[in-house]
Amino acid sequence: MKRSGLVSDDFKRVESHDCPMSTCAAPTGSPCRTGKNKVAVQYHTARFRLVPQLAKALSVPTPAVRKPGSAWTELPRPVRAGAGPVGHVSLGYARASTARQSLDAQLDSLAEAGVTRVFSEKISTRATKRPELEAAVKLAGEIRSSGIAVTLVVHEHKRLGRGIELAMLAEELKASDVGLEFLTGELKGSHDG
């Protein structure tokens, strides 16, 4: 579901409404669910038809960031429309690929940037699970859903991963309205959610 290389935001429009299907009743901010309590592969017609731009669509797929087919859990509900962020929090993430590598340069860089809460781990780039990164992303989403602006700050983009892995993480942060900032490297700068 891409348009001009960008992921469609249709799912955000759909999720701005509770699902009216009594068998689903997914609240605002969460994807639709199946009768077996899994994330639905597409949104229920009764829900996406509440969005004027999608009223004539035949279906609206659930994006990969919502993990269709996985066990359904309620996601944090979005802040009321029109309410601006109240304050700002920066969370940091640092990673080294091996136990012998030092995190000191990354931690110093994050401290210089004013980041006080840092999640760090020594784990291979090839690892599919990164518990500290997952914890940072989860906390960022929870803080953002409470109405506070959040930025995940990383020394360099390579610390998060490469290629599709990095793109999927960036999409997940954007879906949660969490900013992303790199302190060095070719992607240096802020990439707002």
Side-chain angles (χ1 to χ4, degrees), residues 148-187:
I148 299 170
V150 184
T151 302
L152 181 63
V153 183
V154 184
H155 180 70
E156 186 180 18
H157 73 279
K158 292 175 187 174
R159 301 297 102 209
L160 294 178
R162 293 182 171 87
I164 191 72
E165 187 178 69
L166 179 59
M168 286 179 66
L169 176 63
E171 184 180 321
E172 183 177 352
L173 292 172
K174 182 180 178 188
S176 299
D177 197 25
V178 172
L180 181 59
E181 180 179 356
F182 299 112
L183 300 176
T184 62
E186 57 194 55
L187 296 179

Side-chain angles (χ1 to χ4, degrees), residues 68-183:
S70 65
W72 186 91
T73 56
E74 182 176 346
L75 299 175
R77 295 179 190 218
V79 179
R80 286 187 332 266
V86 184
H88 184 267
V89 171
S90 292
L91 299 176
Y93 176 72
R95 182 188 61 80
S97 297
T98 68
R100 289 178 297 201
Q101 290 179 323
S102 172
L103 291 169
D104 291 349
Q106 292 178 61
L107 296 174
D108 290 346
S109 175
L110 291 166
E112 284 176 30
V115 178
T116 55
R117 176 76 189 270
V118 178
F119 294 80
S120 63
E121 57 196 338
K122 293 187 176 186
I123 193 165
S124 169
T125 304
R126 290 186 286 270
T128 55
K129 290 278 187 188
R130 295 191 193 149
E132 290 298 307
L133 178 58
E134 290 172 12
V137 171
K138 182 178 181 198
L139 180 60
E142 289 171 359
I143 293 171
R144 182 65 193 106
S145 69
S146 72
I148 299 170
V150 184
T151 302
L152 181 63
V153 183
V154 184
H155 180 70
E156 186 180 18
H157 73 279
K158 292 175 187 174
R159 301 297 102 209
L160 294 178
R162 293 182 171 87
I164 191 72
E165 187 178 69
L166 179 59
M168 286 179 66
L169 176 63
E171 184 180 321
E172 183 177 352
L173 292 172
K174 182 180 178 188
S176 299
D177 197 25
V178 172
L180 181 59
E181 180 179 356
F182 299 112
L183 300 176

